[in-house]
Amino acid sequence: MSKYDRLGEHLSGLDRGTSNTLSFERIEAILGFRLPKSARQYQAWWANQVGQGHVQSNAWLDNGWHAELLSLRNKHVTFRPAATPRAPKGARSSGKSVLSIDDANRALAIHYGLRTSQIEISLKG
């Protein structure tokens, strides 16, 4: 679990029919800590990059959002729904997919354009 997952969870609960602009202050309130200095100084911190070392962008990309329209001067960033959501962490392209309940919940919410709170998964065994 990444320290930026709270931001992803917040975004997953937003209306996917529109872009959403968040101030750095609001993002810090969601996260519960201050953004690093690099987030306030470098556009690259907000790049939609994947992979190791990009835990912040994985938080929004894994929840079906892209960062865009960044204003370092005005201290805000606009997130827009991704046209094609990324496969959740843990999904494999061949054979069986192994997903946590949280990942499955997020994937279903993205696929159906719902909030994660609107999805209920029950297991029968």
Side-chain angles (χ1 to χ4, degrees):
M1 178 154 190
S2 159
K3 67 182 188 175
Y4 295 99
D5 283 350
R6 285 185 187 169
L7 176 59
E9 291 167 6
H10 175 81
L11 290 169
S12 74
L14 296 178
D15 178 12
R16 294 189 48 78
T18 184
S19 295
N20 290 276
T21 300
L22 299 174
S23 68
F24 291 178
E25 185 177 285
R26 177 70 180 124
I27 292 171
E28 290 171 339
I30 292 165
L31 294 172
F33 59 86
R34 287 188 51 80
L35 288 167
K37 211 175 195 182
S38 56
R40 296 173 177 281
Q41 294 177 334
Y42 304 109
Q43 287 184 336
W45 194 92
W46 297 96
N48 296 304
Q49 294 180 311
V50 296
Q52 296 292 77
H54 303 286
V55 292
Q56 73 277 11
S57 59
N58 287 333
W60 58 78
L61 292 170
D62 286 347
N63 285 282
W65 294 85
H66 282 185
E68 63 177 32
L69 301 176
L70 170 67
S71 175
L72 294 174
R73 182 179 181 189
N74 295 320
K75 300 177 182 152
H76 64 75
V77 61
T78 298
F79 292 94
R80 71 167 168 78
T84 305
R86 254 173 54 157
K89 293 178 275 186
R92 290 185 245 153
S93 59
S94 62
K96 294 181 180 178
S97 293
V98 178
L99 299 174
S100 70
I101 295 296
D102 288 340
D103 287 340
N105 187 290
R106 277 195 293 274
L108 288 168
I110 290 167
H111 180 77
Y112 290 106
L114 300 170
R115 295 180 175 161
T116 55
S117 62
Q118 295 174 292
I119 304 288
E120 182 177 313
I121 297 175
S122 57
L123 302 174
K124 295 181 180 181

